Amino acid sequence: MMNEDVSKVLIDEEVIVRRVGTVAEKILLDFTGEEILVVGILKGALVFMADLCRRLPVPLQIETLNVASYHGGTQSSGVVEFLDGKSLDVAGRQVLLIDDILDTGRTLRAVKDSLLEMGARKVKTAVLLSKVKERAEEVNADYVGFEIGDEFVVGYGLDYQGRYRNLPYVGVLKEEVYETKG
Ligand code: 5GP
Ligand code: MG
């Protein structure tokens, strides 16, 4: 059943499930040999990361990073803040960096650069969604679930003011939700 705050389902559950399987197959072709270090950007990547990892039947470890670029609204602030220090042990590792969505590209660019600075041997990036638009940063994800238009979406990990992450699909909220809760 559709959430009453959602005006439109953009990508439904079954389509996501199938696509996650396909993305996992591509990843498995690129990561061979030693263990993968999967790094998910909190909190948006949680749902995608959980589903994707279960389609990667190889040795891997999971880490998370707390980064903020949005502050509750629907526009990117342009500043990427590392919230709990950069203390991941990534030296010499092959890393799969996961985020929910590629918008301006600032988050993925900043996090990928710091992982490389911390000594990661290789960093590949996976996003569930990529907005088709001009990027503020020169960055593209290596694995993209779906390309979408430049509109604000929620569900499957993506939130609006902390809510709607648990929707099993990706959708768009009704205008009045932003007017009354925004
Ligand atoms: P970027 O740094 O690429 O501008 O933004 C990436 C982050 O902004 C994502 O991890 C996500 O948290 C947030 N974001 C960007 N676009 C959307 C959107 O359409 N919906 C939601 N819920 N978050 C978004
Ligand atoms: Mg986010």
Side-chain angles (χ1 to χ4, degrees):
M1 205 190 66
M2 201 161 103
N3 183 291
E4 60 176 12
D5 291 348
V6 171
S7 66
K8 183 174 67 173
V9 174
L10 273 188
I11 311 168
D12 68 38
E13 196 175 348
E14 299 86 276
V15 175
I16 295 175
V17 170
R18 249 181 286 130
R19 183 64 189 158
V20 168
T22 306
V23 169
E25 283 169 20
K26 291 181 202 281
I27 291 170
L28 289 170
L29 294 176
D30 292 344
F31 284 84
T32 48
E34 80 266 39
E35 198 172 59
I36 305 173
L37 178 63
V38 176
V39 177
I41 301 177
L42 295 174
K43 300 169 187 154
L46 276 175
V47 176
F48 180 41
M49 179 169 72
D51 283 350
L52 186 61
C53 281
R54 284 175 289 175
R55 293 286 172 273
L56 300 174
V58 293
L60 62 78
Q61 291 184 324
I62 297 178
E63 287 287 355
T64 55
L65 266 181
N66 217 344
V67 164
S69 69
Y70 266 62
H71 299 281
T74 61
Q75 294 297 310
S76 183
S77 68
V79 183
V80 176
E81 219 185 318
F82 287 80
L83 298 177
D84 44 19
K86 299 182 252 174
S87 54
L88 292 185
D89 187 14
V90 297
R93 311 273 318 256
Q94 49 172 0
V95 177
L96 176 65
L97 175 62
I98 301 184
D99 204 359
D100 49 2
I101 187 166
L102 188 60
D103 183 11
T104 65
R106 288 192 185 98
T107 307
L108 218 53
R109 173 86 267 160
V111 175
K112 182 177 177 175
D113 287 351
S114 8
L115 292 171
L116 288 168
E117 265 167 46
M118 290 185 259
R121 184 168 62 72
K122 146 175 156 187
V123 179
K124 294 270 193 185
T125 53
V127 292
L128 175 75
L129 305 171
S130 175
K131 286 189 182 172
V132 178
K133 65 192 280 189
E134 289 274 324
R135 306 250 185 260
E137 296 290 332
E138 195 60 48
V139 64
N140 272 304
D142 297 297
Y143 315 100
V144 174
F146 304 91
E147 295 200 324
I148 62 168
D150 192 8
E151 62 184 328
F152 191 81
V153 296
V154 298
Y156 199 77
L158 292 112
D159 72 306
Y160 174 60
Q161 297 196 335
R163 309 218 165 74
Y164 311 105
R165 295 191 198 275
N166 56 328
L167 299 178
Y169 49 82
V170 172
V172 177
L173 294 175
K174 291 176 183 162
E175 283 294 328
E176 65 252 34
V177 178
Y178 303 116
E179 285 154 19
T180 58
K181 299 179 186 170

